[in-house]
Amino acid sequence: MPICSIVNKWRIAIWGCTLSYFIFFSLLGIWRHWGYLTSLYDLGCYDQAIWTASQGKSLLNSINTGQTINWLGFHFQPILYLFVPLYKIYPSVHWLTVSQAAALSFSALPIFSIAKHFAHSEKQAFMWSCIYLLNPFVIAAATWDFHEVSLATFFITLGLYAVIQKRLSLLVISSIFLLTCKEHYGLTVAGLGIVYGAVHKNWRVGAGFLFVGIMMTALIIGVVMPHYSPTGQHLMISPAKSTYSSAARYSWLGNSLSSVIKNLFMHPLAVIQTVFVTLEGWTYLFGLLAPFLFLPAAAPVWLIPIGGDLLANLLSANPMPRGIFSYHSATLVPLLTVAANFGLQKLSPRIKSLSAEGILKLMLCLTLVLAYCVAPLPLIGTANFWRPISVITAFDKKVLDVKEIIGNGAASIQANLGAHFTQRYAIYGFPEKIDLADFIVLRLDSPTLRTDPDDPGEIGSLAHLLQMPPALYLDYVENLLDEKKFHVIYWNDPWIIFGKGEKSSDSTLLTKIRYKIQTLRQKWILDRSKQEAK
């Protein structure tokens, strides 16, 4: 067989895998949105910010703090402005869903080139790319709504490719985009610069990236974000009173950036004990390294850029960023993949029992098993974490009816419905700010088989989607039926819209709704009993 055919075979394979991954997760993201598994507090925030910017305003957000603020005061993500021209063409959250799938999928291509550089084998490079794509943390990020970390993942892989190829201009470009993705990615830029300096013995460039990265991080978190924040501090350090509770991730370290830094340096042992014992950070590190057979530890230089994200996840009082079904660790995976590649090349000559390719095959098999276990599909033995009623979901045309009824009015909307209605200036997560709302929009049904009513913090459950225990949610709905300031203006089971006004609701209609609520109480309690029995 001609050599060119052998070479092309693996290039065709990686492009086929990349495109298949892109198509699958694009469709899955759209189906999740149509199936009401997306959230007002994730996809909805980005949609509102971009839509308001497309209307000539700033990146506005009325969701997280209960008051309208510039989104840059919650997270520094000016990269969202790239979507504004697309929203001017056609305003839709699907731009975000598809871009996330594209960013995570096509990150496999730079990894393929990097691995080929290390291993001098396109077959091994293909396996490394598959190891990246099938990593549980990448699958989790590709499944869950839209988040800027997915875009950052692509720019990190591009930056790593630039380091390997000694393409300084490409490293500068990828670093600029990284700085626009999130407030602490200046630390990642600093880390990439250090790696460049170490690999190419060019410490002038390394020092330059280090200085710029740290200064930009300090400037963004210490000056820019406080300027837009209603509390004058980063909202995950000093949250507003109305900010949803899980946002206060770092307040245990202090109530300001300076106090956080002070406590980190003045009480390191106490912080380490809290992180690794109380917050069980050691299990998170194990979960990150185990799929790579701990090979990244043999290449510590290549791990330097993970410092910012790793620190952010480890220090979070909310355990979600450390979860295997969360999106927060996606940016770490390409760095761990490259470090593992370098570590394997370094250690394989000392391992007599297995060749480098043999170890790589073992790693790929382990990753395949883990990928199957965490797959977001109803297959035997899979976690199917979000447990949708149906994986493939058709668009609900009732959404269009609801949009027509509420128009551009201020609305308090059920959290898992919110992302369908965020193209407005004032929207709040039910039951927040109902006194400021013209309409309340609810859907009395569960999109998931996981109710878990006693654990609103558990992601993937109905409680998580509603941002409250289902029983409490039903109490709120029943109380609204007796509320004189609101009356039912639309009921098309399971959709219900309350409008502000003194008009009384039809008694027959109220009876039907109360019966629906009682039916849900019995069903969800029964679901809970079955789960407890298991």
Side-chain angles (χ1 to χ4, degrees):
M1 181 180 293
I3 294 177
C4 61
S5 298
I6 298 174
V7 171
N8 289 337
K9 177 175 69 174
W10 296 110
R11 293 183 181 178
I12 292 170
I14 185 57
W15 272 100
C17 286
T18 299
L19 290 172
S20 298
Y21 199 92
F22 165 68
I23 293 169
F24 174 78
F25 281 105
S26 292
L27 290 174
L28 185 65
I30 292 170
W31 290 332
R32 288 186 75 255
H33 183 57
W34 288 353
Y36 307 110
L37 288 167
T38 55
S39 177
L40 176 66
Y41 296 98
D42 290 276
L43 187 61
C45 288
Y46 295 103
D47 184 52
Q48 186 188 35
I50 297 167
W51 180 81
T52 54
S54 72
Q55 301 301 303
K57 306 292 183 181
S58 302
L59 297 167
L60 299 180
N61 175 269
S62 65
I63 300 164
N64 294 82
T65 63
Q67 63 188 93
T68 301
I69 67 168
N70 191 308
W71 177 247
L72 301 181
F74 195 84
H75 278 308
F76 185 78
Q77 295 165 346
I79 196 169
L80 297 180
Y81 278 108
L82 291 180
F83 293 96
V84 170
L86 299 175
Y87 267 59
K88 286 183 177 293
I89 297 171
Y90 180 70
S92 173
V93 296
H94 297 327
W95 291 116
L96 304 176
T97 301
V98 172
S99 69
Q100 171 164 278
L104 292 172
S105 301
F106 290 101
S107 292
L109 300 179
I111 287 176
F112 179 86
S113 297
I114 293 169
K116 181 185 173 185
H117 175 87
F118 279 135
H120 305 289
S121 165
E122 290 200 338
K123 177 183 178 181
Q124 291 188 30
F126 173 75
M127 288 192 283
W128 278 113
S129 297
C130 290
I131 286 170
Y132 157 76
L133 288 172
L134 296 173
N135 185 277
F137 292 102
V138 175
I139 291 175
T143 304
W144 190 345
D145 286 26
F146 165 85
H147 298 91
E148 80 298 325
V149 298
S150 301
L151 305 181
T153 300
F154 176 75
F155 296 122
I156 288 172
T157 57
L158 207 59
L160 289 168
Y161 174 78
V163 170
I164 295 297
Q165 297 296 323
K166 201 176 181 180
R167 295 177 59 178
L168 187 56
S169 59
L170 182 59
L171 180 58
V172 170
I173 292 170
S174 59
S175 296
I176 290 172
F177 278 105
L178 261 179
L179 289 171
T180 66
C181 286
K182 205 167 186 180
E183 53 268 21
H184 66 270
Y185 283 146
L187 299 179
T188 307
V189 169
L192 288 171
I194 293 174
V195 173
Y196 186 97
V199 170
H200 301 296
K201 308 302 180 184
N202 190 335
W203 293 111
R204 180 177 298 179
V205 170
F209 274 85
L210 177 65
F211 176 78
V212 171
I214 291 177
M215 289 302 296
M216 287 300 297
T217 302
L219 179 66
I220 291 167
I221 298 179
V223 179
V224 177
M225 294 185 69
H227 172 73
Y228 292 113
S229 169
T231 66
Q233 296 288 339
H234 194 302
L235 285 168
M236 289 191 177
I237 298 174
S238 179
K241 291 182 180 179
S242 55
T243 307
Y244 64 99
S245 58
S246 62
R249 297 176 186 174
Y250 309 107
S251 56
W252 68 276
L253 285 165
N255 57 7
S256 66
L257 178 62
S258 59
S259 62
V260 168
I261 294 173
K262 179 180 178 182
N263 285 324
L264 286 174
F265 283 97
M266 296 295 292
H267 308 287
L269 294 180
V271 172
I272 290 172
Q273 182 178 12
T274 300
V275 166
F276 289 100
V277 179
T278 306
L279 301 179
E280 299 183 341
W282 68 272
T283 60
Y284 172 57
L285 291 179
F286 182 87
L288 285 171
L289 293 171
F292 296 99
L293 302 179
F294 299 93
L295 288 171
V301 170
W302 292 94
L303 294 177
I304 292 173
I306 75 172
D309 265 334
L310 186 64
L311 195 64
N313 296 343
L314 285 172
L315 292 175
S316 172
N318 181 354
M320 183 179 66
R322 295 183 293 277
I324 196 170
F325 294 103
S326 184
Y327 54 88
H328 297 78
S329 300
T331 51
L332 306 182
V333 178
L335 291 158
L336 290 168
T337 304
V338 172
N341 193 329
F342 190 83
L344 178 59
Q345 305 307 318
K346 184 178 179 181
L347 294 177
S348 59
R350 305 178 188 178
I351 302 174
K352 305 300 181 181
S353 56
L354 276 176
S355 65
E357 187 170 316
I359 296 172
L360 185 54
K361 288 179 179 178
L362 178 63
M363 195 187 310
L364 180 57
C365 288
L366 175 60
T367 304
L368 280 167
V369 171
L370 291 173
Y372 183 86
C373 290
V374 303
L377 297 169
L379 304 174
I380 297 174
T382 61
N384 190 23
F385 187 71
W386 295 90
R387 300 272 181 88
I389 299 297
S390 176
V391 174
I392 300 175
T393 310
F395 176 70
D396 185 355
K397 293 182 180 179
K398 292 177 184 177
V399 170
L400 301 177
D401 297 334
V402 175
K403 286 183 177 180
E404 185 176 351
I405 292 170
I406 67 176
N408 295 321
S412 180
I413 298 183
Q414 187 175 310
N416 67 305
L417 309 180
H420 290 267
F421 304 98
T422 36
Q423 292 178 11
R424 64 190 63 247
Y425 291 107
I427 182 171
Y428 314 102
F430 176 78
E432 297 295 327
K433 302 293 182 179
I434 59 174
D435 55 320
L436 299 179
D438 301 311
F439 303 96
I440 299 172
V441 179
L442 309 172
R443 188 174 184 273
L444 305 183
D445 200 6
S446 174
T448 175
L449 298 171
R450 300 182 66 209
T451 52
D452 299 326
D454 290 334
D455 189 3
E458 184 176 2
I459 61 174
S461 66
L462 176 60
H464 165 76
L465 293 169
L466 296 172
Q467 291 290 298
M468 70 184 88
L472 178 59
Y473 164 77
L474 294 176
D475 288 342
Y476 277 124
V477 180
E478 275 195 311
N479 291 337
L480 272 175
L481 296 177
D482 299 322
E483 174 63 57
K484 294 182 178 180
K485 291 182 180 180
F486 287 92
H487 61 279
V488 178
I489 62 173
Y490 177 83
W491 167 248
N492 190 341
D493 192 5
W495 288 89
I496 180 171
I497 304 176
F498 293 89
K500 184 174 285 185
E502 299 295 332
K503 180 182 177 181
S504 299
S505 301
D506 179 81
S507 59
T508 304
L509 191 61
L510 293 180
T511 300
K512 291 180 180 179
I513 298 171
R514 291 186 191 279
Y515 178 77
K516 173 72 174 185
I517 292 172
Q518 288 304 113
T519 301
L520 289 177
R521 281 192 192 279
Q522 294 173 6
K523 181 179 184 300
W524 290 345
I525 290 172
L526 180 62
D527 286 348
R528 174 190 172 187
S529 300
K530 289 180 179 178
Q531 290 166 12
E532 289 177 346
K534 291 180 181 179

